[in-house]
């Protein structure tokens, strides 16, 4: 029996991901949950096209499929200007639905505000933190990896970039970025490298600018990369959004092991002094957002 990937999101994003999956033809049973009943017939051409894939199947699902899902991929389900509090309220209803249908797979968020949705999904669902995560800065980490490889004239496989925080405001951890066995910062001391601190600053600015743009395609490619790794039983270390259960708890992107059983923390994140200050400020802002939303929920009862 093939692993089941349930996809929940608006039609544009879900259909884009399904097109990518058709090309890669992974051994998956893809089940799409339409946002509205009007969307159901719009998926029919993709369902028909999957007949040409030897390994991949696509079909429209029902609530009963939640209980069989290996992964539930939650894409953006609203417009970009929808208030976060509304997204969280909608999320509460989704969590109620999947729990009632015995969901016990991995719950993955691929969209805006995944640091907040990951946290509240954990609070609403009662699922273990290891089963709930978001793509976080992993798509941007891959983008930076290939940009660095091009700039340094090396293969992308030897670059180990680290980007933490959130997808909207990524923090490049240059102190934890390596080229082969050597820290990237060692290149700054090498007169022959044609690479200096100005280049790092420009690259950080460039990545911040890219983070402000639409990341849909980058996210789809990241999803497929993680699915490929899991299906081939080759867990990867990736900076995905995960629950930090310290008090007060929050969710943010940091390197963890991503595999068939979910995510697993490996070690504490160690950054340079400046990077740690930026990271701490961002975590404080996330905690403040969480507290604000929780207060709004309490007031609404």
């Amino acid at each position: 029996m093939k692993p089941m990937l349930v996809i929940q999101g608006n039609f544009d994003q879900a259909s884009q991901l399904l097109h990518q999956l058709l090309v890669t033809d992974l051994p998956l049973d893809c089940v799409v949950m339409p946002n509205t009943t009007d969307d159901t017939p719009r998926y029919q051409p993709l369902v028909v096209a999957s007949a040409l894939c030897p390994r991949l199947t696509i079909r429209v699902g029902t609530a009963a499929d939640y209980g069989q899902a290996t992964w539930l991929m939650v894409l953006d389900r609203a417009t970009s200007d929808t208030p976060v509090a509304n997204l969280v309220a909608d999320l509460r209803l989704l969590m109620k639905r999947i729990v009632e249908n015995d969901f016990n797979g991995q719950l993955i968020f691929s969209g805006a505000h995944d640091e907040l949705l990951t946290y509240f999904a954990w609070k609403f669902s009662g699922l273990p933190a290891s089963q709930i995560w978001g793509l976080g800065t992993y798509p941007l980490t891959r983008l930076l990896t290939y940009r660095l490889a091009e700039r340094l004239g090396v293969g992308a496989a030897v670059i180990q970039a680290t980007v933490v925080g959130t997808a909207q405001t990524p923090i490049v951890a240059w102190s934890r970025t390596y080229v082969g066995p050597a820290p990237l910062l060692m290149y700054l001391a090498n007169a022959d490298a044609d690479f200096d601190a100005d280049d790092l600053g420009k690259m950080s600015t460039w990545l911040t600018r890219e983070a402000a743009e639409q990341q849909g395609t980058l996210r789809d490619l990241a999803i497929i990369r993680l699915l490929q790794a899991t299906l081939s039983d080759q867990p990867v270390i990736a900076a995905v959004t995960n629950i930090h259960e310290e008090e007060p708890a929050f969710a943010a992107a940091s390197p963890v092991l991503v595999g068939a059983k979910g995510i697993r923390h490996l070690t504490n994140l160690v950054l340079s002094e400046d990077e740690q200050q930026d990271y701490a400020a961002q975590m404080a802002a996330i905690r403040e957002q969480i507290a604000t939303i929780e207060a709004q929920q309490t007031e609404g009862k």
Side-chain angles (χ1 to χ4, degrees):
M1 188 174 183
K2 291 184 293 188
M4 181 187 293
L5 172 65
V6 175
I7 300 172
Q8 187 108 30
N10 65 47
F11 176 79
D12 289 341
Q13 290 203 11
S15 61
Q16 178 176 299
L17 175 56
L18 288 169
H19 275 100
Q20 295 282 355
L21 289 167
L22 282 168
V23 173
T24 53
D25 189 25
L26 295 175
L28 291 172
D29 179 14
C30 288
V31 178
V32 62
M33 297 291 192
N35 243 14
T36 67
T37 54
D38 290 342
D39 284 341
T40 299
R42 301 174 70 188
Y43 286 109
Q44 188 59 27
L46 294 168
V47 173
V48 172
S50 71
L52 303 180
C53 296
R55 302 191 296 172
L56 181 82
T57 59
I58 297 176
R59 61 184 175 86
V60 175
T62 66
D65 288 305
Y66 289 125
Q68 304 300 317
T70 308
W71 302 277
L72 170 56
M73 185 69 61
V74 181
L75 313 178
D76 286 325
R77 304 176 66 218
T79 59
S80 59
D81 58 353
T82 301
V84 176
N86 290 15
L87 297 178
V88 172
D90 184 55
L91 176 68
R92 184 192 288 272
L93 297 176
L94 175 61
M95 293 302 99
K96 183 175 184 293
R97 190 179 315 132
I98 69 172
V99 169
E100 287 176 346
N101 285 278
D102 301 319
F103 174 79
N104 194 35
Q106 293 187 50
L107 178 59
I108 308 170
F109 291 93
S110 173
H113 308 295
D114 73 341
E115 70 283 359
L116 297 175
L117 297 181
T118 297
Y119 170 83
F120 282 104
W122 174 57
K123 299 295 286 187
F124 294 155
S125 69
L127 292 169
S130 61
Q131 291 177 219
I132 306 175
W133 51 280
L135 288 186
T137 55
Y138 179 60
L140 293 173
T141 301
R142 298 186 76 227
L143 185 62
L144 179 63
T145 295
Y146 281 84
R147 183 64 177 268
L148 276 172
E150 179 184 23
R151 180 67 180 79
L152 296 173
V154 299
V158 306
I159 302 288
Q160 181 185 324
T162 302
V163 183
V164 298
T166 69
Q168 291 75 39
T169 52
I171 299 169
V172 181
W174 294 118
S175 66
R176 291 295 172 264
T177 297
Y178 293 81
V179 182
L184 175 66
L185 296 182
M186 289 184 62
Y187 277 71
L188 303 185
N190 186 345
D192 298 327
D194 189 27
F195 193 80
D196 57 28
D198 286 342
D199 291 298
L200 297 187
K202 290 175 182 177
M203 230 171 246
S204 293
T205 300
W206 162 77
L207 194 69
T208 299
R209 186 171 62 248
E210 291 299 323
E213 301 297 328
Q214 293 293 330
Q215 296 183 40
T217 303
L218 283 176
R219 287 171 177 149
D220 288 349
L221 294 174
I223 290 168
I224 289 170
R225 172 69 188 93
L226 291 171
L227 288 173
Q228 288 172 328
T230 301
L231 291 169
S232 60
D233 197 24
Q234 296 180 340
V236 297
I237 297 174
V240 299
T241 297
N242 60 92
I243 302 294
H244 297 250
E245 297 189 65
E246 59 206 64
E247 287 295 333
F250 65 97
S254 61
V256 293
L257 188 69
V258 182
K261 295 183 179 180
I263 60 104
R264 181 160 62 89
H265 291 263
L266 299 173
T267 184
N268 292 332
L269 180 64
V270 180
L271 303 171
S272 71
E273 184 176 348
D274 289 343
E275 293 163 355
Q276 183 59 44
Q277 287 180 351
D278 291 342
Y279 185 74
Q282 193 174 100
M283 299 312 101
I286 292 173
R287 283 168 161 151
E288 184 176 348
Q289 284 182 291
I290 289 171
T292 299
I293 294 170
E294 289 178 332
Q296 290 172 342
Q297 290 180 324
T298 302
E299 292 169 1
K301 290 182 178 178

